[in-house]
Amino acid sequence: MNFPYSSKKWLTLSIAAVMATSIGVGAVASESGTAAPASQTQGSQQNDKATTAATADNSKADANKTDATKADTAATEDKAAANGTADAKAADAKNTSPSGTTGTTNASDSTSAAEQMTLAKAIEQAMQTNSKIQTARLEAKTADINQSLAYDSAADMRGLLDRSLEASKQKYIGTKQADLTKKLNQLAVKVTENQVKLGVQQAYYNLLHAQADLELKKQSLNRAQTQLKVAKAAFDVGTKAKTDILQAEMGVAGAQAALAAAENTLEINGMKFNEIIGVDVNKKWKLTPENKQIAAPAMNLQQAQEQALKQRHEIVQKEGELELANTTVNVLEDWSMQATYNGRIAKNNVEKAKLAIEEQNRQIKTEVAEAYLNLNAARVAIDFRKKAMEAAAESYRLTNLRFENGLATTLEVIQAEEELAEKENQHLEAIRNYNLAVVNFENALGVNK
């Protein structure tokens, strides 16, 4: 049977009733002026004993309650200590976990320890430590030395055989050839530097894109985890089925897989970036966002092509090769050797140099046209992708509201979230593609910044 009061409350009420009865009996005896009967005296004594016993029981109950309270307190402290230990272990596991969200602490430490890097600084670093540039510079120096050695040897031989005016003239032509060769070697280094510069810019934007993509994947995982919590809460109160939880868990698993892939991509792009700038491949950087949002080119395509033909190092290099070939022919003509094998080879080299210039012109015009058209297309794509992302975000918000009101399923929410994640990725990629399009257009024009 359930009583409205606790045992302690009933004990207090009983004591009060006994005391009230004793007081009532005493009052009646006083009023009549006679002593209370022996039975009443005996009953009073019994009541006093009962009161004393009840008081003792009450004290004992209080003592037991105090002991129980101490036991509860000790148990609570032990539980808290156990929970603290478990939390500490969980924190350690979280810090040492290699996966995306569970490694947040390590990622934060790594980011804070990473050195700041800008695009200009990256290009400057590559100009100093990139292996291709260093090799090109060494090859240019070696070519200059070889040219000087060849000229000195030829001059010494001619000096032994002929001290005539023609020998002096040949020496002058040889000097000109050496100067042209040195100029070509320097242009070859410039071409290599421009190629490396373009590669650095591309690697920089790829790494920047990978970092931003990783953040998007973390946001997507957070949305999936939130949806899983909502599905579990709805299942606990009986408003959703077990299948909703399974679908939400599937969404979380998919988001975790996408996050792991993004982490791998970031690691690979980081190594490629370090490789091209010529530093330790495992070095971590905190990149400064570089957005090349510029106005549309003021020039038309034909003007852009004409400007590129004037500025590109490749054209200057090919023209230098033609000049060198013509110089060789002139030397052979001065020595009346144009009809010899060497003379005919020299003339063939001149024709080859002319063809090389024509081919280089066509190649540069094609590169400029491609870069020009890609730049315009990339600019339009950014606006389109941004609107698509905004529409997907609104659709996801409305689907969540419908789900909260029981008008949408968990699967519909997951599909809306996946659509939003895809549109976010496409918008981010459109920004990356536009930045790369600007870089390629500037490189095609021969712009040096």
Side-chain angles (χ1 to χ4, degrees):
M1 179 179 295
N2 295 325
F3 293 98
Y5 301 107
S6 63
S7 57
K8 182 178 180 180
K9 186 71 175 178
W10 276 110
L11 182 60
T12 304
L13 292 175
S14 300
I15 295 172
V18 171
M19 292 180 67
T21 303
S22 301
I23 294 172
V25 172
V28 171
S30 299
E31 239 176 5
S32 59
T34 58
S39 59
Q40 291 180 355
T41 302
Q42 186 179 1
S44 177
Q45 292 175 353
Q46 292 176 352
N47 288 338
D48 291 339
K49 292 179 181 180
T51 300
T52 303
T55 302
D57 292 339
N58 192 17
S59 301
K60 184 177 182 180
D62 290 339
N64 291 336
K65 182 178 180 181
T66 302
D67 294 338
T69 302
K70 292 181 179 179
D72 290 341
T73 303
T76 302
E77 291 176 352
D78 293 339
K79 185 177 180 180
N83 290 338
T85 304
D87 291 341
K89 292 181 179 180
D92 291 340
K94 182 176 181 181
N95 292 337
T96 57
S97 176
S99 60
T101 53
T102 56
T104 304
T105 303
N106 288 339
S108 300
D109 294 341
S110 176
T111 303
S112 61
E115 184 179 347
Q116 192 78 22
M117 173 62 73
T118 64
L119 181 56
K121 184 179 178 181
I123 294 174
E124 181 182 357
Q125 179 72 43
M127 293 300 107
Q128 298 174 359
T129 55
N130 179 269
S131 59
K132 289 184 179 180
I133 293 178
Q134 291 177 328
T135 301
R137 290 170 180 167
L138 291 174
E139 288 178 349
K141 292 179 180 179
T142 302
D144 291 341
I145 294 173
N146 289 334
Q147 179 66 22
S148 299
L149 289 174
Y151 168 74
D152 292 341
S153 299
D156 292 340
M157 184 61 67
R158 287 193 303 272
L160 294 174
L161 297 177
D162 188 3
R163 299 287 183 180
S164 64
L165 179 62
E166 292 299 328
S168 299
K169 185 177 181 180
Q170 174 64 12
K171 182 177 180 180
Y172 170 77
I173 297 300
T175 303
K176 186 175 182 180
Q177 288 178 325
D179 292 339
L180 284 174
T181 302
K182 185 175 182 178
K183 179 181 178 181
L184 290 176
N185 292 336
Q186 292 174 346
L187 286 172
V189 173
K190 287 291 185 182
V191 171
T192 303
E193 288 177 350
N194 284 344
Q195 292 173 349
V196 171
K197 174 186 173 184
L198 176 62
V200 170
Q201 291 173 314
Q202 292 173 338
Y204 187 92
Y205 283 114
N206 286 336
L207 180 56
L208 200 63
H209 173 267
Q211 290 180 343
D213 184 61
L214 180 62
E215 294 303 317
L216 286 182
K217 294 301 187 293
K218 290 180 179 179
Q219 295 176 13
S220 180
L221 178 59
N222 288 336
R223 290 195 295 261
Q225 290 173 337
T226 300
Q227 182 59 31
L228 177 59
K229 292 179 181 178
V230 172
K232 287 182 177 180
F235 175 76
D236 291 340
V237 298
T239 58
K240 292 293 180 181
K242 180 68 175 179
T243 55
D244 289 280
I245 295 180
L246 297 177
Q247 290 171 348
E249 289 176 344
M250 178 187 66
V252 171
Q256 288 174 338
L259 179 60
E263 289 175 338
N264 292 339
T265 301
L266 176 61
E267 192 71 19
I268 293 172
N269 282 316
M271 290 184 177
K272 289 182 178 180
F273 175 74
N274 289 331
E275 180 183 2
I276 197 168
I277 65 175
V279 298
D280 180 15
V281 294
N282 295 318
K283 189 173 180 60
K284 303 300 180 183
W285 302 102
K286 183 178 180 182
L287 300 188
T288 301
E290 299 277 353
N291 196 352
K292 286 184 171 289
Q293 293 282 356
I294 63 173
M299 65 189 76
N300 56 34
L301 177 57
Q302 183 178 356
Q303 292 172 336
Q305 290 173 333
E306 292 175 354
Q307 180 176 334
L309 293 177
K310 296 177 182 178
Q311 297 180 160
R312 291 282 292 267
H313 290 302
E314 292 89 338
I315 288 294
V316 181
Q317 185 179 12
K318 297 302 180 184
E319 290 175 347
E321 291 173 356
L322 176 60
E323 185 179 357
L324 180 58
N326 283 324
T327 302
T328 304
V329 170
N330 294 333
V331 170
L332 293 175
E333 287 178 353
D334 291 339
W335 283 78
S336 299
M337 297 177 61
Q338 64 270 21
T340 63
Y341 290 120
N342 289 335
R344 283 182 285 177
I345 291 174
K347 289 181 179 180
N348 290 338
N349 289 337
V350 171
E351 296 302 319
K352 286 172 59 178
K354 291 179 180 178
L355 292 174
I357 290 178
E358 294 177 1
E359 178 63 25
Q360 190 67 63
N361 286 343
R362 287 191 293 268
Q363 181 178 347
I364 288 177
K365 287 182 177 180
T366 302
E367 290 177 0
V368 171
E370 184 178 359
Y372 185 91
L373 297 174
N374 287 341
L375 177 59
N376 291 331
R379 183 181 293 105
V380 175
I382 286 183
D383 296 334
F384 168 70
R385 295 302 181 187
K386 182 178 180 180
K387 291 179 181 179
M389 180 185 65
E390 292 173 349
E394 180 65 12
S395 176
Y396 174 71
R397 186 185 70 83
L398 294 176
T399 304
N400 261 327
L401 289 177
R402 291 174 55 237
F403 176 81
E404 291 174 359
N405 291 279
L407 301 176
T409 64
T410 301
L411 182 59
E412 289 176 328
V413 176
I414 293 174
Q415 291 173 343
E417 195 283 325
E418 290 176 348
E419 181 71 13
L420 173 58
E422 181 180 359
K423 298 305 179 184
E424 288 175 339
N425 292 337
Q426 290 176 352
H427 177 251
L428 183 64
E429 190 167 351
I431 295 176
R432 189 270 305 268
N433 291 340
Y434 176 78
N435 288 325
L436 291 179
V438 174
V439 168
N440 289 329
F441 181 67
E442 292 175 347
N443 183 72
L445 287 181
V447 175
N448 293 315
K449 291 185 178 179

